[in-house]
Amino acid sequence: MFVSDCLGVNEHGHLTIGGRDTIELAQRYGTPLYVMDENEIRRACASYKGSIERYYGGHGLVTYASKAFCCKAICKIAMEEGLGLDVVSIGELYTAKSVGFPMDKVFFHGNNKTPQELLAALEYEVGQIVVDNLVELEQLNQLAASQKKTANILFRVKPGVEAHTHKFIRTGQIDSKFGLALEGGEAMRAVLEAIKMPNIHLKGLHCHIGSQIFDIEPFQESAAVMLRFLADIKKETGKELEILDLGGGFGIKYLEEHDPVEYDQYMKKVSQTVGAVCQELGLNTPFIVIEPGRSIVGPAGITLYTVGAVKEIPNVRTYASVDGGMCDNPRYILYQSEYEALVANKASQPRSEKITLAGKCCESGDLIGEGMMIQPVQSGDIVAVLATGAYNYSMSSNYNRIPRPPVVMLRDGEDRVVVKAETLEDLIRNDLL
Ligand SMILES: *Cc1c(COP(=O)(O)O)cnc(C)c1O
């Protein structure tokens, strides 16, 4: 009935998450409010981890792509579940460090890491720096030499595979700001350079073809392309690289008609491709890394808002405006993302009305969604937007000087705040006259 397993309806006809009444949560904490179910997050972590055990005999690692939702609590959850962690900035790295995340399981990504970030990665002894380009490679080698260290690296490679997803979240094709191209030998030149560098240890390759992908084939295709490149490297240099990081991007159910692949099926099919191609090429199966972000936290979260004005424009549309918007969820304004929404205090009623759910920011494009089917909505209702656990809080801003909402985490139905609400004082903290 709902897009996520952690959602339900109770005897009052209220939406529940993790067994808790969302109206009670909205009353206790106010709105807007992000609510996440930790049990759902832990289930997703355990499921991916189980697949690595089943299909790769444990010779692999699931790293949580923390950009999807980064705070201390989620880093700790990933750590406790035995996952590794992807970071893409010094801020995410610092957050991981602050909870004692084992640095050997951290992968530092990004297409333009600053010297400060590379130095921090060396100082913290981050296990893998995923080098994007030759400028970074050169810089890292020099910085590592200055610190008398050796940097363990992977190269980000563009496998040239088209993933069927929005162009802003597609990354595997040649026209991408991320990674080294196989075409024209750019990636091979980087490998040959790296092998000569005294302060670089090249451990493997990485690719990530995009996000919110529903098909298995692009993942199989990119795995095969990457393995062929590993074989080429072996032929050219005699070295068999030990790590193959296949990236993340597994789609989740935002709308009821979405039909994501069971993650275990993806893992199974890709492992079969990996097995077959390794055999064909005479390679040992590398240590396989996968990097889910959205699919770990997305389905576990919802956002609760209070409806203010409802504006019915005859023969045009009805706008229902909420007390948040692009400041806490910019995904619609970024790429017309779609969500299910419902009136949380009328969750058992049929969704009979079509509305545009609007935010409160001063942009006409500040919408949560258009043409959304929802229960009859009035001022004062609590609206829940579903599957907002990924790329909402982490993409939030203070546009219009709106303080960020808090994040409440539920574990076995017990609520706790894991990110406090921003205060007005927080907003002016860094202002100087
Ligand atoms: C964003 C990203 C991911 C996670 O993508 P999801 O779609 O959230 O699973 C994994 N790896 C890299 C390198 C990324 O940039």
Side-chain angles (χ1 to χ4, degrees):
M1 162 172 192
F2 289 115
V3 290
S4 311
D5 295 338
C6 58
L7 303 175
V9 179
N10 66 14
E11 66 280 12
H12 305 295
H14 294 173
L15 177 72
T16 62
I17 174 166
R20 290 293 302 275
D21 188 313
T22 54
I23 304 305
E24 260 177 40
L25 291 168
Q27 278 161 355
R28 176 171 313 178
Y29 294 103
T31 59
L33 179 67
Y34 297 112
V35 187
M36 301 189 75
D37 182 28
E38 184 169 341
N39 294 41
E40 180 87 18
I41 296 170
R42 288 185 185 269
R43 266 197 299 277
C45 293
S47 147
Y48 276 117
K49 197 154 180 273
S51 302
I52 290 277
E53 296 296 328
R54 263 194 298 288
Y55 304 121
Y56 297 100
H59 192 58
L61 182 68
V62 182
T63 62
Y64 165 60
S66 71
K67 70 174 194 254
F69 170 57
C70 187
C71 67
K72 286 161 77 162
I74 190 73
C75 289
K76 186 154 175 280
I77 291 168
M79 177 167 77
E80 287 171 0
E81 291 296 325
L83 269 56
L85 202 74
D86 276 8
V87 299
V88 295
S89 73
I90 195 167
E92 289 179 354
L93 179 59
Y94 188 78
T95 308
K97 180 82 177 163
S98 75
V99 298
F101 204 97
M103 287 293 142
D104 58 327
K105 287 165 119 179
V106 172
F107 288 65
F108 198 154
H109 294 270
N111 68 305
N112 197 22
K113 303 173 197 75
T114 63
Q116 182 206 17
E117 288 177 319
L118 292 174
L119 272 173
L122 290 165
E123 188 196 325
Y124 291 179
E125 305 198 328
V126 165
Q128 291 77 208
I129 300 173
V130 183
V131 172
D132 179 271
N133 56 71
L134 286 161
V135 171
E136 182 184 343
L137 178 68
E138 188 60 45
Q139 199 165 46
L140 181 60
N141 186 43
Q142 282 173 16
L143 290 171
S146 75
Q147 304 299 304
K148 303 191 171 44
K149 288 190 169 166
T150 302
N152 290 320
I153 71 160
L154 312 185
F155 274 123
R156 174 147 187 176
V157 171
K158 304 181 216 198
V161 171
E162 284 283 333
H164 304 128
T165 190
H166 193 285
K167 70 176 187 300
F168 286 5
I169 52 178
R170 205 187 290 155
T171 53
Q173 74 285 6
I174 184 147
D175 181 6
S176 167
K177 72 168 183 169
F178 296 104
L180 298 155
L182 293 173
E183 292 92 336
E186 185 187 29
M188 185 61 90
R189 275 196 302 282
V191 167
L192 298 176
E193 282 295 308
I195 287 174
K196 284 187 287 185
M197 290 180 167
N199 297 82
I200 295 288
H201 175 210
L202 177 61
K203 286 170 74 178
L205 303 177
H206 163 256
C207 67
H208 171 69
I209 56 175
S211 198
Q212 188 58 6
I213 298 168
F214 282 134
D215 307 326
I216 299 186
E217 295 75 28
F219 290 112
Q220 291 175 298
E221 229 180 288
S222 61
V225 169
M226 296 296 284
L227 287 166
R228 296 217 151 81
F229 185 46
L230 278 181
D232 289 347
I233 293 170
K234 187 179 173 188
K235 214 178 297 164
E236 191 105 350
T237 69
K239 284 187 203 298
E240 196 166 334
L241 302 182
E242 59 205 275
I243 301 179
L244 178 57
D245 184 338
L246 294 173
F250 320 115
I252 68 164
K253 198 169 165 112
Y254 283 109
L255 301 180
E256 267 152 35
E257 64 259 35
H258 285 165
D259 190 18
V261 172
E262 288 257 353
Y263 304 127
D264 194 68
Q265 275 304 306
Y266 154 78
M267 297 290 288
K268 185 177 178 181
K269 290 259 174 68
V270 173
S271 74
Q272 288 164 349
T273 303
V274 168
V277 176
C278 283
Q279 191 162 31
E280 174 200 328
L281 300 171
L283 292 173
N284 297 312
T285 302
F287 185 86
I288 297 289
V289 180
I290 58 154
E291 318 177 296
R294 189 189 308 274
S295 51
I296 299 271
V297 287
I302 61 171
T303 310
L304 299 175
Y305 300 102
T306 302
V307 176
V310 179
K311 239 173 237 176
E312 197 181 330
I313 308 174
N315 305 318
V316 181
R317 64 167 98 198
T318 299
Y319 284 99
S321 294
V322 295
D323 51 357
M326 61 182 279
C327 41
D328 58 77
N329 181 0
R331 291 189 67 251
Y332 179 86
I333 205 161
L334 273 176
Y335 29 69
Q336 293 76 51
S337 57
E338 294 180 288
Y339 288 98
E340 299 276 349
L342 45 92
V343 179
N345 47 304
K346 300 173 186 165
S348 53
Q349 296 177 24
R351 293 201 246 166
S352 55
E353 290 197 1
K354 190 183 257 189
I355 61 150
T356 293
L357 198 60
K360 67 188 261 75
C361 295
C362 293
E363 296 287 331
S364 293
D366 170 32
L367 306 176
I368 304 291
E370 293 183 88
M372 298 172 105
M373 292 308 295
I374 196 166
Q375 290 85 1
V377 60
Q378 288 166 294
S379 183
D381 281 339
I382 302 294
V383 163
V385 179
L386 310 183
T388 58
Y391 304 110
N392 271 235
Y393 172 76
S394 67
M395 285 186 164
S396 64
S397 74
N398 288 130
Y399 181 51
N400 291 166
R401 286 237 142 163
I402 295 170
R404 284 182 180 79
V407 184
V408 165
M409 189 74 81
L410 304 173
R411 180 152 197 203
D412 301 329
E414 291 290 317
D415 54 308
R416 70 183 194 285
V417 175
V418 295
V419 183
K420 290 196 289 185
E422 270 178 347
T423 63
L424 294 172
E425 200 50 41
D426 289 334
L427 294 175
I428 57 168
R429 171 154 299 144
N430 296 320
D431 292 7
L432 301 171
L433 289 175

